[in-house]
Amino acid sequence: MAGKTNALQKPVQLSGELENVIGKGPMTRAQVTSKVWDYIKANGLQDKNDKRQINPDAKLGAVIGNSQISMFKMTAAVSKHLS
């Protein structure tokens, strides 16, 4: 079993909208998640009262929608931009 990669380590292609937020792919799912969180924190997009809620700006909204979204649902929304 050694040497095999799991789904988080397999490089994936990114949609153009996602590349606008986190940079050019391909990258692993783990890297995508990390870079999305870096973007959220750098731009202060976490809700002030409930840090589990994300308030997307225009760039991130193109990926996950423009409405406030739970961090748990955000991962599923980002996955739609991976292939």
Side-chain angles (χ1 to χ4, degrees):
M1 185 89 70
K4 291 191 176 184
T5 58
N6 65 29
L8 288 177
Q9 297 168 332
K10 181 182 172 193
V12 292
Q13 296 297 322
L14 314 179
S15 71
E17 293 89 355
L18 186 55
E19 284 185 337
N20 287 338
V21 176
I22 64 172
K24 292 284 184 195
M27 56 182 74
T28 66
R29 289 178 183 269
Q31 288 172 316
V32 169
T33 301
S34 178
K35 288 183 180 281
V36 168
W37 273 106
D38 289 346
Y39 181 85
I40 289 168
K41 289 178 181 176
N43 291 284
L45 301 180
Q46 282 181 284
D47 188 82
K48 303 292 183 240
N49 298 317
D50 184 354
K51 299 282 188 192
R52 295 173 297 177
Q53 298 296 320
I54 309 303
N55 299 312
D57 60 6
K59 280 174 71 172
L60 187 59
V63 176
I64 65 172
N66 293 315
S67 301
Q68 185 179 65
I69 189 170
S70 155
M71 66 184 199
F72 304 109
K73 293 182 179 178
M74 181 191 67
T75 305
V78 170
S79 291
K80 295 175 184 172
H81 290 266
L82 307 175
S83 59

